[in-house]
Amino acid sequence: MLNSKFTAPEIIKRDDNAFYIKAKLWALEALLILTPTHLYLEADDSGIMRRGTYQFLFFLKDKLQKTKVIFNLELSQIKSIQQVKQGLNPNVLEVTTYKDEVFKVGVKDAAEWMKLIQAKK
């Protein structure tokens, strides 16, 4: 399971089953968190060998899993956020920063995430 530095009172919305779309055919398990001031994403960047190992040796999962912070954006850094389709999945958030960085995140309910983020901006 992915962890974050945020505590329960700070969190407005959390999706433990999100995924970070790194490339067209490459997605990583991720954790997406919205706080009153930040949008935070971390992903499992363990690599294929480690992921394969802890699928068979589940008791080593926490020791082998390597997480990476993809972004920790202040909401004021977000230029736009929109719901896009990736393959057959219509629940993908496309987050664009003022530095023109684009991140795609698959979530359970993209419309709800967009509504919450836009309300906080």
Side-chain angles (χ1 to χ4, degrees):
M1 180 174 168
L2 299 168
N3 297 313
S4 78
K5 63 181 183 170
F6 297 103
T7 59
E10 297 176 299
I11 297 172
I12 294 171
K13 184 151 178 72
R14 175 183 176 130
D15 190 341
D16 292 297
N17 297 314
F19 56 93
Y20 168 54
I21 302 170
K22 199 167 183 173
K24 189 173 185 177
L25 296 173
W26 187 1
L28 303 173
E29 259 184 78
L31 167 66
L32 183 64
I33 293 177
L34 175 64
T35 72
T37 59
H38 285 81
L39 185 62
Y40 174 87
L41 179 72
E42 72 179 32
D44 175 5
D45 196 25
S46 300
I48 190 89
M49 292 304 288
R50 284 189 178 151
R51 278 196 296 275
T53 302
Y54 72 66
Q55 284 177 359
F56 294 105
L57 305 172
F58 61 90
F59 56 89
L60 291 177
K61 181 177 180 178
D62 293 336
K63 291 180 174 40
L64 294 174
Q65 190 174 33
K66 179 180 156 191
T67 59
K68 178 180 179 184
V69 174
I70 305 301
F71 61 72
N72 186 9
L73 297 171
E74 288 184 22
L75 296 178
S76 62
Q77 294 176 297
I78 298 173
K79 180 162 108 176
S80 69
I81 186 163
Q82 59 184 343
Q83 184 174 352
V84 298
K85 188 174 178 183
Q86 180 78 26
L88 298 174
N89 185 359
N91 283 308
V92 175
L93 293 175
E94 185 176 81
V95 180
T96 306
T97 68
Y98 282 105
K99 294 180 180 178
D100 290 326
E101 298 169 307
V102 178
F103 302 99
K104 289 186 179 181
V105 184
V107 292
K108 185 176 180 180
D109 188 353
E112 182 182 352
W113 275 96
M114 284 180 43
K115 186 174 95 177
L116 288 170
I117 293 167
Q118 290 169 344
K120 293 294 172 189
K121 278 186 71 170

